[in-house]
Amino acid sequence: MEYVCIVCPNGCRLTVEPTQEGVVVKGHKCPKGEAYGRDEFIDPRRVVTAAVRTSDASYPFAPVKSDRPVAKKDVDAVLRHLYRLTVDLPVRRGAMCCTDCCGTGASIVFTRTLPPSSGGGAP
Amino acid sequence: MIAVKKIDSVVIGAGAAGMAAAEVIAQAGCSVALVDREEQTGGILLQCIHNGFGLHHFGRELTGPEYADEFSERVRAFPVEIFLETTVVNIVPHPGFSRVITCSALHGVTVFEATTIVLAMGCRERNRGTIGIPGTRPSGVFTAGLAQRLLNIEGYIPGRRAVIIGSGDIGLIMARRLTWVGSEVAAVVEILPHPSGLTRNIVQCLQDFSIPLLLSHAVTQIYGKDRVEGVEVAPLENGVPVAEKARIVACDTVLLSVGLIPENELSCTAGVTISPNTGGPVVDHRLQTSAAGIFACGNVLHVHDLVDFVTEEAQRCGGHVVDYLRNKIPAAASVAVEAGANIKYVTPNQCAAGTAQHFYLRPLVIREKAKLAVMQGQTPVFSRNLSHVRPAEMISIDLDNKIMGGLELDRPLTFSIR
Ligand SMILES: Cc1cc2nc3c(=O)[nH]c(=O)nc-3n(C[C@H](O)[C@H](O)[C@H](O)COP(=O)(O)OP(=O)(O)OC[C@H]3O[C@@H](n4cnc5c(N)ncnc54)[C@H](O)[C@@H]3O)c2cc1C
Ligand code: SF4
């Protein structure tokens, strides 16, 4: 199989073949690419980013991400779950939004610090 | 009475560029004001909630808001005076200083008398006017960046079925984002025979969702009375749309991702010379514009694809401002810098013989295995083999003191790709 590595902007072209010694990756310029190629072949994963609703009118949405890549087939379930949430401010960058989201093993964390309710001002 | 503040430096724009420059200037003990018309520091990064930032600078992958937050915290750790919701409306150069006129709903008009200015206003998107698509003027036509802001900051879904014009990275990122909020992306239409965005974004934003990428195609009409109802898409043959092969794609939304232009209206009020190649100010080896004491960095200087390079450039710019303020500017003999074969532009526009210099260049071509050659006339100065070149990927190179020391004075330094 041929893939383009998406781990960094280099976009190396990978060839991945199952052999008797296991899955062999070629074309990567670094070990991250090798790991990506193997995962992409066996169990493709993506980091999920989204914005969840807040109860505050001045910052109506807070950005979040999964703390590790989520199996591609589970991405929709994770997103659907996140769109149902409403969180209260303040939130801190790096703080937990949702632990082990939908049983994927990945947790969802906030990616921006937002100040306590209304009144403006900088975070 | 209008308040007048005397200050060493005013940094205009608190995006990645402005924050990094202000931090360096403050760290050196100079007085600095950081001014932005938005309510928060961070600039365009705040709306880029996807990941893919900071691999070079932090060595890990961050989202835009995380990258912005890290720098917002850093800049606040120094005595930088931050003026938010404050727009710079004019710059008036005088010998030895400039007046920077700002306006805010909160503080009214404030005038800075600044020894130096850092232009860090970022860029703006090309819009429908700039590319001239015929048809009606219904609602539902957005630039990709505006749609990104509406969706990611305000939570407003721009439409249910979109066609994206142009395959720039912002459009690709928005294709995935729209799909992830349950909208459909009917197609991405690109006039060129190759995508303008990074390959990784073609893979993770289009191929992951089987979104068609129509290369060498143009949108030739936009239909709809009050709201967009569809677009006409035609393949190009020899650069001309073939009307007989045109078809109509139904959609309620059109996103334009057709390029970015440095935001230089303000620079022009200051009388700064603009380069036709970059769309940003012409700068010397210290990133100083044609106006003494006025410097530029980030997307206002030339459009960068990676924020990490914006940060690097802005930190260097901050250092040059500090040198200028301390009168530590050696009168260096300058050498003109020129873009040669297959290069769109090189910054800076001048370098100094004997002084190590960092250059950024934007290729015009797609090549596997290419050679970057730096020459003075017929004399080779430097060369490097590159595994690939793409217009979507800026090339960054350092030439050291030794190489720069060997330059002749009256011949331009030419960069080309073979
Ligand atoms: C939509 C988009 C997506 C991107 N995606 C990626 C990515 O995935 N990975 C990556 O590494 N890079 C990405 N980039 C590139 C990178 O993020 C930007 O190049 C970088 O953040 C630009 O920083 P800047 O400070 O030059 O400009 P900006 O962040 O645009 O900051 C300019 C600031 O100046 C202010 N300003 C302008 N005029 C005035 C005025 N007259 N008075 C007061 N304030 C003013 C604006 O309000 C703004 O806050 C993306 C860029 C864009 C536009
Ligand atoms: S293999 Fe390594 S260098 Fe190549 S794209 Fe992947 S992460 Fe980047």
Side-chain angles (χ1 to χ4, degrees):
Chain A
M1 287 296 282
E2 300 211 345
Y3 301 110
V4 172
C5 178
I6 61 168
V7 178
C8 90
N10 279 345
C12 294
R13 266 150 247 264
L14 311 177
T15 25
V16 184
E17 303 287 350
T19 69
Q20 271 162 355
E21 288 85 53
V23 176
V24 172
V25 182
K26 287 188 191 136
H28 54 281
K29 279 201 199 120
C30 77
K32 282 186 189 162
E34 186 172 15
Y36 173 81
R38 188 169 300 122
D39 273 356
E40 195 65 6
F41 189 77
I42 301 165
D43 172 24
R45 290 172 172 268
R46 296 289 183 263
V47 169
V48 177
T49 55
V52 297
R53 191 171 281 111
T54 76
S55 53
D56 190 293
S58 42
Y59 298 98
F61 282 80
V64 296
K65 70 172 183 185
S66 60
D67 65 351
R68 69 200 69 181
V70 171
K72 249 174 151 179
K73 61 173 174 33
D74 295 329
V75 168
D76 276 339
V78 167
L79 286 170
R80 268 201 303 278
H81 178 75
L82 294 177
Y83 297 147
R84 281 198 298 268
L85 298 179
T86 301
V87 298
D88 292 324
L89 299 189
V91 296
R92 276 211 72 78
R93 167 168 51 97
M96 199 62 78
C97 169
C98 171
T99 323
D100 186 15
C101 193
C102 305
T104 56
S107 292
I108 305 297
V109 296
F110 293 104
T111 56
R112 182 174 172 193
T113 298
L114 291 174
S117 217
S118 294
Chain B
M1 261 291 282
I2 291 173
V4 178
K5 278 176 173 287
K6 278 200 180 1
I7 197 153
D8 290 333
S9 192
V10 173
V11 177
I12 309 172
M19 290 192 293
E23 182 187 337
V24 172
I25 297 168
Q27 204 169 12
C30 305
S31 60
V32 51
L34 179 61
V35 185
D36 202 294
R37 61 185 174 208
E38 297 293 329
E39 287 169 42
Q40 296 93 30
T41 51
I44 202 80
L45 286 169
L46 294 178
Q47 69 180 59
C48 302
I49 64 168
H50 59 282
N51 67 335
F53 299 82
L55 269 174
H56 291 275
H57 190 79
F58 291 101
R60 58 201 157 97
E61 205 169 27
L62 301 177
T63 64
E66 288 173 304
Y67 197 99
D69 262 17
E70 296 246 1
F71 274 90
S72 294
E73 283 166 16
R74 276 165 59 166
V75 80
R76 282 183 167 77
F78 290 98
V80 175
E81 272 195 272
I82 301 177
F83 296 81
L84 295 172
E85 294 177 78
T86 305
T87 303
V88 175
V89 290
N90 206 352
I91 300 172
V92 188
H94 292 268
F97 70 95
S98 293
R99 285 216 167 87
V100 180
I101 293 115
T102 71
C103 242
S104 96
L106 229 58
H107 305 289
V109 175
T110 305
V111 176
F112 293 93
E113 265 183 29
T115 315
T116 61
I117 295 175
V118 176
L119 304 172
M121 289 93 73
C123 58
R124 70 187 135 90
E125 299 179 275
R126 282 182 209 277
N127 55 31
R128 188 173 173 187
T130 349
I131 57 168
I133 302 166
T136 51
R137 291 279 178 274
S139 68
V141 182
F142 305 86
T143 59
L146 173 62
Q148 186 180 49
R149 181 183 172 121
L150 290 173
L151 186 51
N152 292 348
I153 308 272
E154 279 143 57
Y156 169 85
I157 296 176
R160 282 301 168 195
R161 189 176 151 88
V163 166
I164 299 178
I165 302 180
S167 58
D169 285 313
I170 311 168
L172 300 178
I173 296 287
M174 282 308 290
R176 175 177 63 186
R177 184 76 177 109
L178 284 171
T179 312
W180 273 356
V181 294
S183 297
E184 190 188 343
V185 177
V188 173
V189 183
E190 170 59 60
I191 206 158
L192 297 173
H194 54 82
S196 334
L198 295 171
T199 317
R200 69 194 298 238
N201 287 336
I202 301 288
V203 173
Q204 60 183 345
C205 300
L206 300 187
Q207 289 173 5
D208 269 10
F209 309 103
S210 309
I211 296 170
L213 170 61
L214 307 176
L215 296 172
S216 300
H217 276 68
V219 166
T220 42
Q221 283 280 340
I222 296 178
Y223 300 106
K225 202 161 140 283
D226 300 319
R227 178 79 194 190
V228 172
E229 287 164 14
V231 296
E232 182 188 68
V233 180
L236 298 177
E237 282 172 20
N238 304 319
V240 188
V242 185
E244 305 81 65
K245 293 188 186 163
R247 61 191 162 97
I248 291 176
V249 179
C251 59
D252 61 12
T253 303
V254 172
L255 298 192
L256 299 170
S257 178
V258 290
L260 303 164
I261 320 171
E263 174 65 76
N264 277 295
E265 264 173 63
L266 194 61
S267 321
C268 293
T269 71
V272 159
T273 308
I274 302 294
S275 151
N277 299 333
T278 55
V282 169
V283 288
D284 67 11
H285 64 289
R286 301 179 307 246
L287 304 180
Q288 184 175 220
T289 68
S290 60
I294 303 184
F295 296 74
C297 58
N299 280 352
V300 80
L301 179 57
H302 60 119
V303 175
H304 298 60
D305 32 72
L306 292 180
V307 68
D308 310 67
F309 290 149
V310 170
T311 298
E312 272 179 23
E313 182 178 87
Q315 288 173 335
R316 278 196 295 271
C317 184
H320 297 314
V321 168
V322 172
D323 286 348
Y324 180 97
L325 288 166
R326 291 181 178 158
N327 270 323
K328 273 207 289 195
I329 301 282
S334 90
V335 174
V337 174
E338 281 180 2
N342 300 320
I343 302 271
K344 183 165 180 232
Y345 67 75
V346 188
T347 62
N349 308 76
Q350 278 167 28
C351 57
T355 310
Q357 181 71 49
H358 195 94
F359 297 92
Y360 291 117
L361 21 149
R362 177 73 62 186
L364 275 171
V365 289
I366 296 190
R367 292 263 170 91
E368 307 306 319
K369 297 215 184 343
K371 188 171 172 182
L372 169 73
V374 186
M375 315 269 287
Q376 264 198 316
Q378 296 306 313
T379 318
V381 172
F382 175 81
S383 77
R384 181 191 287 171
N385 292 323
L386 303 167
S387 65
H388 64 272
V389 293
R390 317 237 176 290
E393 294 177 34
M394 199 165 77
I395 301 172
S396 158
I397 64 163
D398 266 314
L399 298 187
D400 60 23
N401 283 326
K402 199 162 143 256
I403 295 175
M404 296 298 292
L407 295 189
E408 291 169 39
L409 286 186
D410 40 11
R411 283 199 297 174
L413 192 63
T414 311
F415 290 71
S416 49
I417 283 175
R418 322 212 151 158

